[in-house]
Amino acid sequence: MILFWIVTGICVAGLAYIRLAPSEVARWHVPLSITEDADMATGAQRILETGPGGLAQFDQIARDTPYTTVLAGSVDDDMVTYITRSRVFGFPDYTTAQQDGDVLKLYGRLRFGKSDVGVNRARLEQWGRAITGGTD
């Protein structure tokens, strides 16, 4: 029985750390140098032709998404980084959006683990369709 409580305590502590660990702005809010769309095990990156107002549209879509908050940046700075947490366990994903002329660069990635099982790719595609007028 003692082993059960030890394992339970470790699990609770781990989940608390995932949900409460501070996010280092200097680590996650960095300029993007992406040049093409890519899917990785830990995230995804997209480039969208949006015109100069793409980041403002993206910002509204991201802010309207449940469990999503701004970590750093602003539309006026031409770059914003968001944290979107999973509903149940609160795993954080970081999405940076950067306006570069008529192009909007997006990079979504996980913080914990080795695979996001396509969650960031799906989120970027959903948000991208909302900007470009595609269907969900």
Side-chain angles (χ1 to χ4, degrees):
M1 191 57 145
I2 292 174
L3 181 59
F4 169 78
W5 289 112
I6 291 172
V7 170
T8 300
I10 290 170
C11 290
V12 168
L15 291 173
Y17 177 76
I18 287 169
R19 188 167 286 277
L20 302 174
S23 297
E24 299 172 41
V25 172
R27 177 178 178 190
W28 301 105
H29 187 65
V30 294
L32 303 177
S33 60
I34 62 175
T35 58
E36 62 185 21
D37 292 353
D39 296 325
M40 298 84 64
T42 59
Q45 54 191 38
R46 295 290 183 267
I47 297 177
L48 303 175
E49 294 284 339
T50 62
L55 183 57
Q57 290 178 294
F58 185 88
D59 184 64
Q60 190 59 56
I61 292 163
R63 287 173 186 264
D64 288 345
T65 301
Y67 313 107
T68 300
T69 58
V70 172
L71 173 65
S74 70
V75 173
D76 291 337
D77 295 337
D78 289 329
M79 186 170 81
V80 185
T81 299
Y82 307 88
I83 303 172
T84 304
R85 293 189 175 273
S86 62
R87 191 173 78 168
V88 176
F89 294 112
F91 284 98
D93 288 330
Y94 296 84
T95 303
T96 300
Q98 180 179 351
Q99 189 74 51
D100 186 4
D102 288 343
V103 173
L104 183 63
K105 297 178 179 181
L106 306 173
Y107 180 33
R109 64 267 194 212
L110 58 71
R111 176 172 181 178
F112 297 106
K114 295 184 182 200
S115 174
D116 72 352
V117 295
V119 170
N120 283 290
R121 176 187 49 79
R123 183 180 303 113
L124 292 184
E125 289 176 358
Q126 178 185 9
W127 287 351
R129 284 190 305 271
I131 291 172
T132 61
T135 58
D136 281 343

